[in-house]
């Protein structure tokens, strides 16, 4: 006896309808980025090799605290989260 194999119907992936062409390309003011070994910061240089200013950005930090309200640690565990950004 020969087994019959039924192949699934060909369907279009759900995300394909969300695809769009890339927006217009924007030239960035830098051509290369290297790491300064002393400061461990990125050094951006333009096409002529001069340092390029890339603007300022903030820093952020966060903490998370776990809490337990019973000795067997089941089903009533919670936690808090907070974050700060400059």
């Amino acid at each position: 006896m020969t087994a019959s194999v039924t192949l699934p119907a060909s369907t279009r992936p759900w995300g394909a309808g969300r695809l769009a062409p890339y927006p217009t390309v924007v030239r960035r003011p830098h051509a290369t980025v290297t790491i300064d070994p002393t400061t461990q910061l990125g050094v951006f240089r333009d096409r002529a090799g001069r340092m390029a200013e890339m603007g300022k950005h903030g820093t952020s930090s966060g903490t998370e605290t776990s809490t337990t309200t019973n000795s067997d640690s089941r089903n009533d565990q919670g936690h808090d989260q907070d974050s700060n950004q400059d």
Side-chain angles (χ1 to χ4, degrees):
M1 177 182 233
T2 309
S4 174
V5 176
T6 303
L7 296 176
S10 177
T11 58
R12 184 176 180 197
W14 68 269
R18 300 177 57 179
L19 295 174
Y22 284 111
T24 304
V25 175
V26 176
R27 284 279 205 214
R28 298 290 179 200
H30 70 282
T32 64
V33 182
T34 56
I35 302 294
D36 181 302
T38 304
T39 63
Q40 297 293 301
L41 297 174
V43 178
F44 298 84
R45 297 193 182 276
D46 65 12
R47 285 170 178 66
R50 297 178 304 242
M51 288 180 64
E53 177 59 47
M54 296 304 292
K56 304 293 180 196
H57 66 284
T59 59
S60 64
S61 64
T63 58
E64 183 171 356
T65 307
S66 180
T67 59
T68 303
T69 58
N70 68 1
S71 60
D72 65 2
S73 300
R74 281 190 251 163
N75 296 333
D76 56 355
Q77 205 170 20
H79 66 277
D80 284 335
Q81 291 179 333
D82 69 348
S83 63
N84 298 316
Q85 183 153 357
D86 296 340

